[in-house]
Amino acid sequence: ITKEQRTLMKVIVDAYSTHQIPQDVAKKLLQEQYSADENFLLLTEMATSQVQVLVEFTKNIPGFLSLDREDQIALLKGSAVEAMFLRSAQVFSRKMPSGQTEVLEERIRKSGISEEFIIPMFNFYKSIVSLHMVQEEQALLTTITILTPDRPYVKDQQAVERIQETMLELLRKLCVLQRPQEPQYFARLLGRLTELRTLSHYHAEMLTSWRTNDHKFTPLLCEIWDVQ
Ligand SMILES: CC1(C)[C@H]2CC[C@]1(C)[C@H](OC(=O)c1ccc(O)cc1)C2
Protein backbone atom coordinates (compact mmCIF):
# COMPACT_ATOMS: atom_id res chain seq x y z
CA ILE A 1 0.00 0.00 0.00
CA THR A 2 1.51 3.33 -1.09
CA LYS A 3 1.62 6.41 1.13
CA GLU A 4 -1.14 8.17 -0.81
CA GLN A 5 -3.30 5.02 -0.59
CA ARG A 6 -2.82 5.03 3.18
CA THR A 7 -3.89 8.68 3.32
CA LEU A 8 -6.91 7.97 1.12
CA MET A 9 -7.85 5.04 3.38
CA LYS A 10 -7.63 7.20 6.50
CA VAL A 11 -9.83 9.97 5.03
CA ILE A 12 -12.51 7.46 4.04
CA VAL A 13 -12.52 5.48 7.31
CA ASP A 14 -12.54 8.68 9.41
CA ALA A 15 -15.51 10.01 7.43
CA TYR A 16 -17.28 6.66 7.66
CA SER A 17 -16.88 6.37 11.42
CA THR A 18 -17.64 10.07 12.06
CA HIS A 19 -20.95 10.03 10.21
CA GLN A 20 -22.94 7.39 12.09
CA ILE A 21 -26.63 7.27 13.01
CA PRO A 22 -27.10 9.66 15.95
CA GLN A 23 -27.34 7.92 19.32
CA ASP A 24 -30.77 9.42 20.01
CA VAL A 25 -32.27 7.57 17.03
CA ALA A 26 -30.60 4.33 18.10
CA LYS A 27 -31.80 4.87 21.70
CA LYS A 28 -35.39 5.47 20.59
CA LEU A 29 -35.37 2.03 18.96
CA LEU A 30 -35.13 0.61 22.49
CA GLN A 31 -37.59 2.90 24.22
CA GLU A 32 -40.69 3.48 22.15
CA GLN A 33 -43.53 0.99 22.45
CA TYR A 34 -44.30 -1.65 19.82
CA SER A 35 -47.06 -0.94 17.35
CA ALA A 36 -46.92 -1.22 13.56
CA ASP A 37 -47.37 2.56 13.32
CA GLU A 38 -44.77 3.33 16.01
CA ASN A 39 -42.32 0.95 14.33
CA PHE A 40 -42.90 2.58 10.96
CA LEU A 41 -42.25 6.02 12.44
CA LEU A 42 -38.99 4.79 13.99
CA LEU A 43 -37.85 3.24 10.71
CA THR A 44 -38.76 6.49 8.95
CA GLU A 45 -36.59 8.40 11.39
CA MET A 46 -33.81 5.85 10.97
CA ALA A 47 -33.98 5.92 7.16
CA THR A 48 -34.02 9.73 7.15
CA SER A 49 -30.99 9.98 9.40
CA GLN A 50 -29.21 7.33 7.31
CA VAL A 51 -29.72 9.43 4.19
CA GLN A 52 -28.35 12.49 6.00
CA VAL A 53 -25.35 10.43 7.16
CA LEU A 54 -24.87 9.17 3.59
CA VAL A 55 -24.80 12.71 2.14
CA GLU A 56 -22.26 13.88 4.74
CA PHE A 57 -20.08 10.79 4.22
CA THR A 58 -20.20 11.12 0.41
CA LYS A 59 -19.01 14.74 0.54
CA ASN A 60 -15.82 13.45 2.19
CA ILE A 61 -14.98 10.96 -0.56
CA PRO A 62 -11.86 12.44 -2.24
CA GLY A 63 -12.81 13.54 -5.76
CA PHE A 64 -16.58 13.34 -5.28
CA LEU A 65 -17.12 17.10 -4.96
CA SER A 66 -15.08 17.71 -8.13
CA LEU A 67 -17.62 15.68 -10.15
CA ASP A 68 -20.36 17.49 -12.11
CA ARG A 69 -22.98 18.72 -9.60
CA GLU A 70 -25.88 16.94 -11.28
CA ASP A 71 -23.86 13.73 -11.43
CA GLN A 72 -23.24 14.01 -7.68
CA ILE A 73 -27.02 14.08 -7.15
CA ALA A 74 -27.55 11.19 -9.59
CA LEU A 75 -24.96 9.08 -7.71
CA LEU A 76 -26.55 9.83 -4.33
CA LYS A 77 -30.07 9.05 -5.53
CA GLY A 78 -28.88 5.92 -7.32
CA SER A 79 -26.97 4.52 -4.36
CA ALA A 80 -29.03 5.63 -1.33
CA VAL A 81 -30.93 2.35 -0.91
CA GLU A 82 -27.83 0.17 -1.34
CA ALA A 83 -25.73 2.34 0.99
CA MET A 84 -28.57 2.21 3.54
CA PHE A 85 -28.73 -1.57 3.44
CA LEU A 86 -24.95 -1.85 3.70
CA ARG A 87 -24.84 0.48 6.69
CA SER A 88 -27.77 -1.20 8.47
CA ALA A 89 -26.15 -4.58 7.78
CA GLN A 90 -23.13 -3.31 9.64
CA VAL A 91 -25.38 -2.39 12.57
CA PHE A 92 -26.47 -6.04 12.61
CA SER A 93 -22.93 -7.36 12.29
CA ARG A 94 -21.75 -5.09 15.11
CA LYS A 95 -24.15 -6.94 17.47
CA MET A 96 -25.04 -3.74 19.35
CA PRO A 97 -24.35 -4.03 23.09
CA SER A 98 -27.79 -3.25 24.52
CA GLY A 99 -29.70 -5.70 22.30
CA GLN A 100 -30.54 -2.97 19.78
CA THR A 101 -30.01 -5.52 16.99
CA GLU A 102 -32.84 -7.75 18.20
CA VAL A 103 -35.12 -4.76 18.80
CA LEU A 104 -34.36 -3.33 15.36
CA GLU A 105 -35.03 -6.71 13.74
CA GLU A 106 -38.32 -6.98 15.64
CA ARG A 107 -39.41 -3.48 14.59
CA ILE A 108 -38.54 -4.16 10.97
CA ARG A 109 -40.56 -7.38 11.03
CA LYS A 110 -43.54 -5.56 12.54
CA SER A 111 -43.67 -2.39 10.44
CA GLY A 112 -45.88 -3.38 7.52
CA ILE A 113 -43.08 -4.72 5.31
CA SER A 114 -44.34 -7.85 3.52
CA GLU A 115 -42.70 -11.18 4.43
CA GLU A 116 -41.52 -11.71 0.81
CA PHE A 117 -39.20 -8.73 1.34
CA ILE A 118 -38.19 -9.49 4.92
CA ILE A 119 -36.67 -12.85 3.96
CA PRO A 120 -34.16 -11.60 1.33
CA MET A 121 -33.37 -8.59 3.55
CA PHE A 122 -32.32 -10.72 6.53
CA ASN A 123 -30.57 -13.22 4.28
CA PHE A 124 -28.50 -10.30 3.03
CA TYR A 125 -27.72 -9.18 6.57
CA LYS A 126 -26.61 -12.73 7.44
CA SER A 127 -24.38 -12.86 4.35
CA ILE A 128 -22.75 -9.56 5.36
CA VAL A 129 -22.32 -10.60 9.01
CA SER A 130 -20.70 -13.88 7.91
CA LEU A 131 -17.95 -11.93 6.09
CA HIS A 132 -16.76 -10.34 9.37
CA MET A 133 -15.65 -7.24 7.46
CA VAL A 134 -13.28 -4.79 9.16
CA GLN A 135 -14.24 -1.12 9.15
CA GLU A 136 -11.86 -0.27 6.29
CA GLU A 137 -13.59 -2.83 4.09
CA GLN A 138 -17.07 -1.62 5.09
CA ALA A 139 -16.16 2.02 4.37
CA LEU A 140 -14.55 1.18 1.01
CA LEU A 141 -17.38 -1.12 -0.07
CA THR A 142 -19.88 1.67 0.67
CA THR A 143 -17.68 4.14 -1.25
CA ILE A 144 -17.49 1.76 -4.24
CA THR A 145 -21.28 1.39 -4.19
CA ILE A 146 -21.77 5.16 -4.21
CA LEU A 147 -19.29 5.56 -7.09
CA THR A 148 -21.13 3.19 -9.44
CA PRO A 149 -20.79 4.85 -12.89
CA ASP A 150 -23.89 3.33 -14.53
CA ARG A 151 -26.53 4.86 -12.26
CA PRO A 152 -29.48 6.49 -14.09
CA TYR A 153 -28.84 10.02 -15.42
CA VAL A 154 -25.06 10.05 -14.80
CA LYS A 155 -23.57 12.06 -17.70
CA ASP A 156 -19.79 11.75 -17.21
CA GLN A 157 -19.47 8.04 -16.36
CA GLN A 158 -15.72 8.02 -17.11
CA ALA A 159 -15.08 10.58 -14.35
CA VAL A 160 -16.94 8.38 -11.84
CA GLU A 161 -15.20 5.23 -13.11
CA ARG A 162 -11.79 6.83 -12.56
CA ILE A 163 -12.46 7.47 -8.86
CA GLN A 164 -14.17 4.10 -8.37
CA GLU A 165 -11.19 2.28 -9.87
CA THR A 166 -8.89 3.91 -7.30
CA MET A 167 -11.13 2.64 -4.52
CA LEU A 168 -11.41 -0.86 -6.05
CA GLU A 169 -7.62 -1.12 -6.31
CA LEU A 170 -7.24 -0.02 -2.69
CA LEU A 171 -9.87 -2.53 -1.48
CA ARG A 172 -8.26 -5.31 -3.51
CA LYS A 173 -4.87 -4.63 -1.86
CA LEU A 174 -6.48 -4.44 1.60
CA CYS A 175 -8.20 -7.79 1.11
CA VAL A 176 -4.93 -9.46 0.07
CA LEU A 177 -3.18 -7.99 3.13
CA GLN A 178 -6.06 -8.69 5.49
CA ARG A 179 -6.79 -12.27 4.32
CA PRO A 180 -3.71 -13.77 2.62
CA GLN A 181 -5.23 -17.24 3.13
CA GLU A 182 -8.48 -16.28 1.34
CA PRO A 183 -7.52 -15.20 -2.22
CA GLN A 184 -11.20 -15.05 -3.31
CA TYR A 185 -12.26 -12.73 -0.45
CA PHE A 186 -12.15 -9.55 -2.61
CA ALA A 187 -14.41 -11.22 -5.20
CA ARG A 188 -16.84 -12.25 -2.43
CA LEU A 189 -17.08 -8.65 -1.21
CA LEU A 190 -17.90 -7.43 -4.73
CA GLY A 191 -20.43 -10.26 -5.01
CA ARG A 192 -22.36 -8.66 -2.14
CA LEU A 193 -22.83 -5.53 -4.27
CA THR A 194 -24.68 -7.65 -6.82
CA GLU A 195 -26.90 -9.02 -4.06
CA LEU A 196 -27.52 -5.41 -2.94
CA ARG A 197 -28.90 -4.46 -6.34
CA THR A 198 -31.62 -7.12 -6.10
CA LEU A 199 -32.61 -5.76 -2.68
CA SER A 200 -33.20 -2.30 -4.11
CA HIS A 201 -35.90 -3.72 -6.39
CA TYR A 202 -37.67 -5.13 -3.32
CA HIS A 203 -37.20 -1.76 -1.65
CA ALA A 204 -39.21 0.03 -4.35
CA GLU A 205 -42.10 -2.40 -3.75
CA MET A 206 -41.79 -1.82 0.00
CA LEU A 207 -42.18 1.93 -0.47
CA THR A 208 -45.22 1.43 -2.69
CA SER A 209 -46.92 -0.90 -0.21
CA TRP A 210 -46.32 1.58 2.63
CA ARG A 211 -47.75 4.39 0.56
CA THR A 212 -50.77 2.31 -0.39
CA ASN A 213 -51.43 1.97 3.33
CA ASP A 214 -51.26 5.75 3.52
CA HIS A 215 -47.94 5.93 5.41
CA LYS A 216 -46.15 9.25 5.22
CA PHE A 217 -42.45 9.65 4.33
CA THR A 218 -40.25 12.61 5.26
CA PRO A 219 -39.47 15.28 2.60
CA LEU A 220 -35.84 14.07 2.40
CA LEU A 221 -36.91 10.48 1.67
CA CYS A 222 -39.45 11.71 -0.91
CA GLU A 223 -36.70 13.73 -2.59
CA ILE A 224 -34.05 11.01 -2.65
CA TRP A 225 -36.48 8.40 -4.00
CA ASP A 226 -38.68 10.66 -6.14
CA VAL A 227 -41.90 9.62 -4.38
CA GLN A 228 -45.05 11.68 -3.65
C1 LIG B 1 -33.05 -1.17 7.93
C2 LIG B 1 -33.59 -0.55 6.63
C3 LIG B 1 -32.46 -0.34 5.67
C4 LIG B 1 -34.74 -1.37 6.03
C5 LIG B 1 -35.78 -1.27 7.14
C6 LIG B 1 -35.59 0.13 7.71
C7 LIG B 1 -34.43 0.67 6.88
C8 LIG B 1 -33.72 1.84 7.48
C9 LIG B 1 -35.01 0.95 5.51
O1 LIG B 1 -36.20 1.66 5.64
C10 LIG B 1 -36.60 2.45 4.58
O2 LIG B 1 -36.08 2.41 3.48
C11 LIG B 1 -37.72 3.37 4.88
C12 LIG B 1 -38.22 4.21 3.89
C13 LIG B 1 -39.27 5.07 4.19
C14 LIG B 1 -39.80 5.09 5.47
O3 LIG B 1 -40.81 5.97 5.78
C15 LIG B 1 -39.29 4.23 6.47
C16 LIG B 1 -38.24 3.38 6.18
C17 LIG B 1 -35.25 -0.43 4.93
Side-chain angles (χ1 to χ4, degrees):
I1 298 222
T2 64
K3 210 172 92 32
E4 56 265 18
Q5 281 179 319
R6 207 186 312 282
T7 314
L8 178 60
M9 183 76 257
K10 187 170 171 2
V11 165
I12 288 173
V13 170
D14 288 353
Y16 192 76
S17 46
T18 314
H19 302 298
Q20 296 274 4
I21 300 180
Q23 271 313 317
D24 57 324
V25 175
K27 246 203 318 287
K28 268 192 185 173
L29 279 173
L30 288 171
Q31 276 150 7
E32 308 294 330
Q33 84 269 16
Y34 275 89
S35 74
D37 284 351
E38 188 53 50
N39 290 342
F40 174 75
L41 286 177
L42 281 171
L43 295 186
T44 302
E45 207 174 320
M46 187 172 159
T48 304
S49 84
Q50 285 205 356
V51 170
Q52 286 159 343
V53 159
L54 170 70
V55 172
E56 286 316 304
F57 168 65
T58 305
K59 282 156 59 176
N60 288 284
I61 297 173
F64 182 81
L65 292 178
S66 54
L67 291 170
D68 171 278
R69 183 64 95 212
E70 284 168 0
D71 284 354
Q72 292 177 27
I73 305 289
L75 292 177
L76 272 170
K77 290 173 77 138
S79 66
V81 174
E82 293 171 24
M84 189 182 280
F85 277 115
L86 259 185
R87 187 169 286 269
S88 55
Q90 273 118 42
V91 165
F92 282 103
S93 50
R94 235 202 338 261
K95 270 272 160 261
M96 309 285 268
S98 46
Q100 258 153 347
T101 318
E102 291 71 21
V103 168
L104 174 59
E105 176 163 348
E106 201 44 38
R107 290 193 187 279
I108 291 174
R109 290 184 185 282
K110 303 242 176 344
S111 62
I113 301 175
S114 63
E115 200 53 28
E116 60 163 326
F117 178 74
I118 295 283
I119 295 165
M121 188 196 321
F122 283 101
N123 286 341
F124 174 73
Y125 289 146
K126 280 193 202 81
S127 75
I128 290 287
V129 170
S130 67
L131 287 171
H132 303 296
M133 280 196 273
V134 296
Q135 203 177 38
E136 287 78 359
E137 291 161 351
Q138 292 175 11
L140 273 174
L141 204 60
T142 302
T143 304
I144 288 161
T145 305
I146 295 163
L147 294 168
T148 300
D150 61 339
R151 296 293 185 195
Y153 314 115
V154 172
K155 298 172 293 192
D156 188 353
Q157 295 199 8
Q158 266 77 18
V160 180
E161 218 154 12
R162 264 195 300 276
I163 314 177
Q164 193 194 43
E165 265 150 21
T166 314
M167 307 298 172
L168 281 162
E169 178 52 21
L170 178 49
L171 180 59
R172 190 188 60 73
K173 278 191 178 178
L174 270 177
C175 289
V176 168
L177 289 173
Q178 185 81 21
R179 319 244 176 146
Q181 80 289 357
E182 247 185 284
Q184 79 292 354
Y185 180 65
F186 176 57
R188 280 174 67 200
L189 284 192
L190 298 189
R192 293 291 176 272
L193 298 189
T194 316
E195 211 177 322
L196 259 183
R197 287 215 179 192
T198 56
L199 273 186
S200 48
H201 297 308
Y202 284 116
H203 183 263
E205 283 165 44
M206 188 181 93
L207 291 182
T208 313
S209 76
W210 269 331
R211 282 185 60 212
T212 321
N213 301 326
D214 202 24
H215 281 89
K216 286 268 163 287
F217 303 150
T218 57
L220 180 59
L221 295 179
C222 291
E223 196 184 327
I224 198 107
W225 291 319
D226 293 328
V227 287
Q228 238 138 344

